Amino acid sequence: MTRQPDRAPVLDLDVDGFEFDAQDINEGFFYGIPRAVIQRAEDRLLDPSVRSVAYFSMEFGLAPSVYQPYRSKGALSPRNRKRDFEVFSNMRQMDYYHLVHLDTVVDIPIYSGGLGVLAGDTLKSAADLKLPLVGVGILWNKGYFDQQFCIQYGQLPGEFDWDPRAYPGLVKLKTVVELHIGREPVKFHLWKYYVPSFDKEHAVPLVLLDANHRDNPDWARELTDQLYESSTVWWKIVQRKVLGMGGMRALRALGYAIAVFHLNEGHAAFAFVEAAKGKNPDEIEALTERFAYTCHTPVEAGHDRLPLDALAAVLSADELEISQRYGQDERPGRVNLTILAMNASKYVNAVAKKHEEVTKIQFPNHEKKIRGITNGIHIPTWISRPFEQLFNEYPLVFENWKDSPDSLQQVARLRDDRVFREKLWNAHKQNKAGLLDLLRPWGMQDDVFTIAWARRAAPYKRPSLILQRTDRLVELAKKHGGVQIIFAGKAHPNDYAGTSNIREILRIIDSLEEHRYYLKAIFLENYDTAVARLLISGVDVWLNNPLPPFEASGTSGMKAVLNGVLQLSTMDGWVVEAADNEIGEIFGHRPVQGEIGHELDLKLREDSSSLYDKLELMAQDYYQVERGPAADRHASKWIDRMIHCIEVASYFNTSRMVAQYNRSIWRMAPIRHEDFS
Ligand SMILES: *Cc1c(COP(=O)(O)O)cnc(C)c1O
């Protein structure tokens, strides 16, 4: 591989109207990453002899407040600062007088939940493993949405305001691509954000399309405003066309020689249509060798079925013809993007073992090529400081745990080490104090049993399950010494059922005011990565109660186990693979082998009852450690379970996951040592 010094600079920046400091971007460095590292990453993507991958995703969760901050010499724009947020609690008066204060840079607001956070963690692990990968996504000028609680409706969605031009590390390129929406040509700016490896020796670029170009008519400038705008089917189709077809054009315009196109969800399926245009059937068949697709959900709403007449208003005749040929739905008159992605891709994977089974039942025609590759989380992102310090104190046990998290398995060697057990509990207490400090005005205490439910408020995740029988909850709290429950999560603005779940929770919380001395319930507004990081490490129990088998994987529990937080979970997603390891309590409905059931048959009554039974056991165990004599702590089941949690984190991470993708699908070579200058 040779340098091509006469080529145009890699970062062909459009500085027009941009706010960055010359100290941030200069000859030697790009926001703290050596320019040589960026150059090398770009050179490999441009080199046709290097096998490389483009990873398409509608959303990417990247939060510099949590990992790898691009510190800018200039001041942070107030529009890019995380806002103080409200809570809704059963200590209602406090809600009027206090806000939760987290002073940090906002996440890049281009994700809505776990799918995006996984995509972000995937880029980070690809960088850590020094692979030539590029991410392709969309710059959402107005993010997802801003959540405001309102007891009458649940949540009121507002417009999210941020300033991409002043966001540290995010830069606009001079390159522009064009795409027809119906008969109209629309121009797209391209942006770049580099995701560095943990050692800053490699970086993975993320390319983002942005329709806010001054030559576009007003209607077109708004196309990339809001993630998952779905007020009409036209919006859905347009956003998917921008990601898939616009993304392919962006890769071409930047000169990247890509071997494999990876579609993270069916949203990106039109990438295949763009690649297939003008090719004969044999050539198109050959093209499928270069496509891979990850299916992320068994839930109906996750599979786009788009009517032909609506497609015809956005796609050209040949684009429509290819979409129909490869994406024929079981019902005529529609294109199914899941089917399109499956037909387009030689490699199809589900995101956990159980999900592999379910996906094969749902798509029997593709059964043979569907494989399960279980999701993960990026360990350096989700490790809390006290746990990082703890692991670092035992370098011979946790050898190179940041880049080879396999070694976390060795925690078993410390099982009977009294000093370690004590330190582990103290590290947890430090995390808990950190979280509850933010909620001090509400009287949350760090010696009270605390659980969290936090994720997207989607009906199959059963946000309100733990509130189904408040009499049992109150009784349990009184009997054992108190319970604190923290909720967080947004519902998609058009998801009526999810929004009703939030309203239901607010109303029940409101009704618990008289019990606030022993049962505290609090719902945090605007769940995001910064809040997630505090919650997954700062509570005693992570509650995960989706209706099996509809949670394809779930990842937030993986973040929690890494930090020694016990699971209270139904038997679904990744938990099925970890349940034998004593990481907490498992409860609830288990579908019969080979059956899926119905996602609206929520089984709230039965499952909440078994939830309370297990919760009671956990409260007992917890208070034994918290309030019992020190000798009890050394012998406690709770600390055994914390150790088992860390043990399973050695597997449920993106370092293992990305290596598996690379072995079975991508087959890229990491940078070699001689490539280092
Ligand atoms: C990890 C994460 C999720 C995923 O949660 P699940 O429990 O997998 O549904 C969603 N949102 C944020 C902000 C996260 O960090």
Side-chain angles (χ1 to χ4, degrees), residues 94-401:
M94 294 303 137
D95 301 357
Y96 295 113
Y97 297 115
H98 299 279
L99 296 172
V100 179
H101 178 66
L102 268 183
D103 188 14
T104 179
V105 57
V106 287
D107 299 356
I108 307 179
I110 57 171
Y111 73 96
S112 80
L115 177 72
V117 174
L118 177 84
D121 281 4
T122 300
L123 297 191
K124 291 178 222 169
S125 283
D128 292 349
L129 294 171
K130 302 193 169 40
L131 300 175
L133 181 138
V134 53
V136 180
I138 293 179
L139 185 97
W140 301 105
N141 282 281
K142 291 183 180 164
Y144 184 42
F145 71 92
D146 184 67
Q147 179 187 47
Q148 251 186 44
F149 292 142
C150 148
I151 192 158
Q152 194 176 359
Y153 302 109
Q155 66 172 23
L156 289 177
E159 208 173 274
F160 188 89
D161 178 56
W162 71 300
D163 183 4
R165 287 169 181 273
Y167 197 95
L170 194 56
V171 290
K172 195 163 84 180
L173 308 181
K174 284 196 181 124
T175 313
V176 169
V177 296
E178 202 176 273
L179 192 66
H180 274 74
I181 301 298
R183 276 193 218 95
E184 307 279 336
V186 175
K187 285 183 181 164
F188 293 86
H189 286 296
L190 299 183
W191 296 66
K192 255 189 195 169
Y193 188 78
Y194 285 95
V195 179
S197 62
F198 74 97
D199 56 10
K200 295 210 166 86
E201 284 188 355
H202 183 51
V204 161
L206 169 61
V207 177
L208 299 167
L209 290 118
D210 168 18
N212 187 16
H213 190 291
R214 73 162 78 87
D215 293 352
N216 289 339
D218 287 347
W219 66 268
R221 294 186 73 158
E222 293 171 6
L223 294 181
T224 55
D225 272 2
Q226 199 196 334
L227 170 61
Y228 298 130
E229 157 72 85
S230 58
S231 47
T232 63
V233 69
W234 182 86
W235 274 105
K236 276 193 167 187
I237 296 169
V238 168
Q239 294 196 337
R240 282 148 185 73
K241 177 165 183 172
V242 172
L243 176 64
M245 307 186 71
M248 287 302 262
R249 288 183 189 196
L251 293 170
R252 221 176 298 144
L254 294 170
Y256 292 150
I258 301 297
V260 178
F261 304 96
H262 197 112
L263 314 175
N264 189 43
E265 258 314 349
H267 305 140
F270 290 131
F272 176 76
V273 175
E274 173 71 7
K277 269 196 305 191
K279 293 197 163 60
N280 69 40
D282 286 345
E283 288 168 333
I284 297 181
E285 216 32 56
L287 200 56
T288 62
E289 303 267 331
R290 297 174 56 197
F291 275 77
Y293 161 54
T294 303
C295 179
H296 281 271
T297 183
V299 171
E300 271 296 307
H303 302 272
D304 296 315
R305 295 170 169 89
L306 308 169
L308 291 181
D309 52 346
L311 282 164
V314 179
L315 303 183
S316 69
D318 55 340
E319 291 161 1
L320 184 59
E321 191 275 321
I322 298 166
S323 306
Q324 248 184 302
R325 184 145 41 100
Y326 280 83
Q328 186 60 61
D329 193 38
E330 63 271 22
R331 282 221 317 260
R334 304 189 302 191
V335 167
N336 181 323
L337 291 192
T338 303
I339 303 285
L340 177 59
M342 286 198 179
N343 283 329
S345 306
K346 177 174 174 189
Y347 306 94
V348 175
N349 78 284
V351 291
K353 292 216 173 75
K354 178 79 191 164
H355 182 227
E356 174 184 339
E357 251 172 61
V358 171
T359 310
K360 284 177 171 171
I361 297 172
Q362 288 184 318
F363 301 94
N365 296 339
H366 298 273
E367 190 191 5
K368 283 215 176 64
K369 63 180 170 189
I370 297 169
R371 296 272 175 280
I373 299 179
T374 304
N375 278 345
I377 53 130
H378 183 247
I379 289 205
T381 298
W382 295 103
I383 188 86
S384 61
R385 288 300 147 255
F387 273 66
E388 180 170 9
Q389 278 161 14
L390 178 65
F391 295 166
N392 288 342
E393 278 181 48
Y394 295 84
L396 298 178
V397 179
F398 304 111
E399 223 175 312
N400 296 331
W401 60 273

Side-chain angles (χ1 to χ4, degrees), residues 43 101 116 244 283 316 349 389 393 467 484 488 501 510 541 599:
D43 282 346
H101 178 66
E283 288 168 333
S316 69
N349 78 284
Q389 278 161 14
E393 278 181 48
L467 297 177
Q484 303 177 139
N501 281 145
D510 195 42
V541 170
E599 66 186 72

Side-chain angles (χ1 to χ4, degrees), residues 111 113-114 117 382 454-455 461 527-529 532 551 554-556 559:
Y111 73 96
V117 174
W382 295 103
R455 50 184 58 77
K461 290 176 184 266
Y527 188 47
D528 62 9
T529 323
E551 188 65 273
T555 51
S556 61
K559 303 166 189 166

Side-chain angles (χ1 to χ4, degrees), residues 427-462:
H428 170 62
K429 288 298 296 250
Q430 234 176 303
N431 281 333
K432 196 170 170 185
L435 167 67
L436 297 186
D437 222 29
L438 289 171
L439 305 176
R440 189 73 43 204
W442 290 269
M444 307 282 266
Q445 288 169 359
D446 68 6
D447 59 352
V448 174
F449 183 56
T450 304
I451 59 191
W453 184 98
R455 50 184 58 77
R456 282 184 311 113
Y460 79 91
K461 290 176 184 266
R462 302 190 291 188

